Every structure is written in C-alpha cells, then in structure tokens.
Amino acid sequence: VTGTHGALVLGAAQLGQAYGNGPDRNPPSAETVAHLLHQAARLGITEVDTARAYGESEQVVGVAAEDLPGLRIVTKVRPLDPGATRADEVVRAVTGSVAESVRTLRRQVLDTVLLHRTDDLRVADGVAGDVLERLVAQGTARRWGVSIATPDDLLFVLDRPGVHYVQLPFNLLDRRWLAPEVSASLAARPDVRVVVRSALLQGLVASTDTARWPTFPDVDAVRMVGSIGEAVTTLGRADRVDLALAYVLAHPWVDAIVAGVRRVDQLTALAAAVTRPVLTANEITVVHRLVPAGPADLIDPSRWQRPAVRNSHDRDPQGLR
Ligand SMILES: NC(=O)c1ccc[n+]([C@@H]2O[C@H](COP(=O)([O-])OP(=O)(O)OC[C@H]3O[C@@H](n4cnc5c(N)ncnc54)[C@H](OP(=O)(O)O)[C@@H]3O)[C@@H](O)[C@H]2O)c1
C-alpha cells in the first residue's frame, strides 16, 4: 500500500510564531508562507491546519491562501476558560472565536472547526459542541471536531455523534494508540476523519541532532536516535522522515498526517515520503523491537522545557505546542 499527497495536511503552527526545539525557531517571512502554501497546492495538498491560538498563523495563512480557494482550512477555537461554568459565556467565547477566524482567514466558509482541547467539550455540559453544531447547520463550517491528546479523550469525544474530525498526536515512539479500543472505537465511527499530528515529534524523530531533545532522567537521546537509525537501515527506508510517516500511515485508522514545516525543502521531502509504501504489519513489529517506547514526558511536547525566551513571538502561555 502506498500513500498519496492527500495523506498530508500542512500544519501552520510554525508559520505564525516561534516554534519547536530546533536551532531555528523563527517563523518564515510572509513571502515564504505564500510560497509554501502555493507549493503545497501544486503538490496536491488540499488541507491546511491552523488555530486562533497560533500567534499570527491565521493572519498569514488567510493572506497567503486568498487566491487558493481549493485549499481547505481547518482551524481551532481559542481554548476556553477551564473553570467556565456558565453556558452563555461559553457560547459567547466559541461564537466570537469562530467569527474572528472567519474574518482573519478571509473565508466565508471554514472547512473544519475544532475545539483546541478535549476539556473545551467538558465545560458547561459540552455546550461548546452545541454551538459548533449550530454553526455547521448555518453553513459557517462544513464540520466540527476536537483536537485531542489521549486515548481516553478519543473515547470521550466519539460519544458525540456530531463530531466528524479528530486530530491526535501519534508517532513511532508513542505506543498509547496501539490499544485495541482505539482502532475498535474508530472502526465504529467511519464518519470521523482522523488526522495525526506530531508524526515527527516536532522534528526529533527526523533529526540526528540530540541537542534538540528535551532532558528527562529516563530518556537516553543518543540511544533513541541510534535506534531510529537502525530501524531505517533494517527496513531499507529512504530516511528518518520516510520511516516516521510510513509507520503512522500504516495504521488503518489514520486518514492523514498534519506536519509542520517552515521551509519549502521540508515540504518537498514530506510530500515525497507520503507517496512511498507504508510499513507492513511485520515491519511495524520490527520498529517496536528496535525503537524503545517513549516515556510520557517525552511524547508530550507540552511537558518539555522550552529554550530561553528570544523574542516577543517566543511565548507559549497556554502550552499549545
Ligand atoms: N492541536 C494542538 O494542540 C496542536 C499542537 C501542536 C501542533 N498542532 C498542529 O500539528 C502540526 C504538526 O505538529 P508539530 O509541528 O508539532 O509536529 P511535527 O509535524 O511532528 O514536527 C514538525 C517539525 O519537524 C521538522 N520537520 C518538518 N519537515 C521536516 C523534514 N522534511 N525533515 C526534517 N525535519 C522536518 C520541523 O522542525 P525544524 O524546522 O525545527 O527542523 C518542523 O517544525 C502543527 O503545525 C499544528 O498545525 C496542533
């Protein structure tokens, strides 16, 4: 089985704010963003993922995608106050965030609107979902869903029949999603699009640079980087990016990968990788044998310590990375 360019969604978190653990965290220029989006469209990529909470991301995507009406836009509601109890406040917050997105993205109709956190569907008895359902009925968005973090989140959000999209973090170090209830619950909901973020774990899995790795007592970066290289060689894959994407896309419940880029060469490499054969079941087993499972702190970038603050873009008050 080989993938297609449709299996790749362009992640826009790094297009509007400083991002990640690499040596260069700066967002690209407006010209580069325009170039990236047009190149993505030429490569057959039809979806871009942004959020109200990604700094200037919606703004730069809105401008760059103005002459790309075929590029579908997925955005996320600004995270809600976790202590909110009043339904009218939640209704106002969700409605206001989506209205700002529509204006900033310069689109009459958004393809998909996601709640940024599973907890946003818990406050005030889940009224945020009712608001999004109404916006879909009114034609402001084609569908709504939730950006989730854990398999428990998945089971919770799939209980809402109105949910037709989930985004979740999965990669070859993250074995939580291999639990049978994940594939079983998704098999029962073929109407839900599943898009995987963090397939490269913010670039860690793609790089031999151990300086990118966050420091945790139970994480041996040199050993991890070495073991991923060994899996690339053993399975005859082109490189680490190819292995990482072929691993994720080999899971039948995955519809697409949302990957973040800041440069055109990164996009070209990702687009090439998603057209190569995905791993077989035996090859997945080989990965599990060679590459240790990442501990909880490693597979959740919101738990990483960030490099020292360098400029005004360089803050993450809501831990959305
Ligand atoms: N819902 C949420 O809470 C949430 C949270 C995070 C992200 N997201 C979404 O998911 C998208 C992807 O997540 P992510 O960016 O954190 O993880 P990712 O896609 O696993 O990693 C992206 C990073 O990998 C590196 N990279 C990209 N292409 C590469 C290539 N061809 N070769 C080598 N390295 C490459 C880049 O880092 P360098 O440029 O530093 O090398 C890039 O910033 C985001 O853009 C955003 O849209 C959502």
Side-chain angles (χ1 to χ4, degrees):
V1 181
T2 56
T4 67
H5 288 146
L8 190 60
V9 174
L10 181 62
Q14 33 283 89
L15 302 184
Q17 59 185 356
Y19 196 88
N21 263 23
D24 180 6
R25 307 185 64 236
N26 293 318
S29 67
E31 294 72 39
T32 303
V33 173
H35 189 187
L36 274 170
L37 263 67
H38 285 80
Q39 187 60 19
R42 272 194 291 276
L43 287 166
I45 294 167
T46 55
E47 196 170 304
V48 57
D49 176 85
T50 182
R52 204 72 287 274
Y54 290 165
E56 300 297 309
S57 178
E58 279 190 339
Q59 171 66 24
V60 295
V61 167
V63 171
E66 221 171 358
D67 59 347
L68 295 170
L71 194 62
R72 298 197 304 256
I73 298 183
V74 178
T75 194
K76 309 183 195 80
V77 174
R78 190 177 291 291
L80 301 174
D81 171 4
T85 51
R86 284 181 45 186
D88 60 332
E89 279 171 12
V90 171
V91 170
R92 218 179 10 256
V94 175
T95 314
S97 179
V98 175
E100 275 179 77
S101 290
V102 164
R103 189 157 35 79
T104 311
L105 288 163
R106 305 170 183 223
R107 291 280 162 120
Q108 303 284 329
V109 180
L110 300 171
D111 184 70
T112 305
V113 177
L114 304 178
L115 295 173
H116 210 131
R117 290 280 175 262
T118 306
D119 279 350
D120 295 347
L121 194 56
R122 293 193 171 102
V123 295
D125 295 324
V127 72
D130 305 338
V131 177
L132 294 182
E133 227 136 89
R134 205 150 52 228
L135 290 171
V136 169
Q138 290 166 356
T140 306
R142 273 190 50 231
R143 62 187 162 193
W144 72 279
V146 189
S147 175
I148 65 172
T150 67
D152 281 348
D153 288 350
L154 177 69
L155 301 181
F156 170 69
V157 305
L158 290 182
D159 264 350
R160 291 275 307 225
V163 166
H164 290 298
Y165 194 115
V166 292
Q167 186 197 93
L168 58 88
F170 176 46
N171 58 64
L172 54 78
L173 300 178
D174 181 349
R175 310 283 158 78
R176 296 171 302 166
W177 306 92
L178 307 177
E181 55 267 30
V182 168
S183 49
S185 61
L186 285 169
R189 289 294 306 272
D191 55 318
V192 175
R193 177 166 171 79
V194 179
V195 176
V196 167
R197 71 173 178 268
S198 241
L200 303 178
L201 196 53
Q202 290 199 5
L204 261 58
V205 167
S207 170
T208 55
D209 176 10
T210 52
R212 295 181 74 114
W213 286 61
T215 310
F216 292 114
D218 52 350
V219 175
D220 180 343
V222 174
R223 172 160 175 251
M224 284 287 195
V225 167
S227 72
I228 296 166
E230 204 183 334
V232 171
T233 310
T234 305
L235 297 173
R237 301 305 303 201
D239 54 30
R240 288 163 195 263
V241 169
D242 173 38
L243 174 73
L245 302 191
Y247 174 87
V248 169
L249 290 175
H251 294 82
W253 46 268
V254 175
D255 291 309
I257 289 173
V258 53
V261 299
R262 290 178 305 106
R263 302 194 313 267
V264 174
D265 64 291
Q266 293 173 325
L267 176 64
T268 311
L270 294 172
V274 293
T275 62
R276 299 203 186 100
V278 303
L279 300 191
T280 63
N282 277 341
E283 289 171 331
I284 290 177
T285 314
V286 171
V287 171
H288 293 165
R289 184 161 49 75
L290 293 175
V291 182
D297 284 337
L298 178 67
I299 59 179
D300 179 359
S302 71
R303 300 194 197 183
W304 303 354
Q305 234 188 327
R306 292 289 142 196
V309 170
R310 283 175 216 152
N311 59 43
S312 59
H313 290 293
D314 224 0
R315 279 171 286 138
D316 183 22
Q318 290 166 321
L320 296 172
R321 298 177 195 170

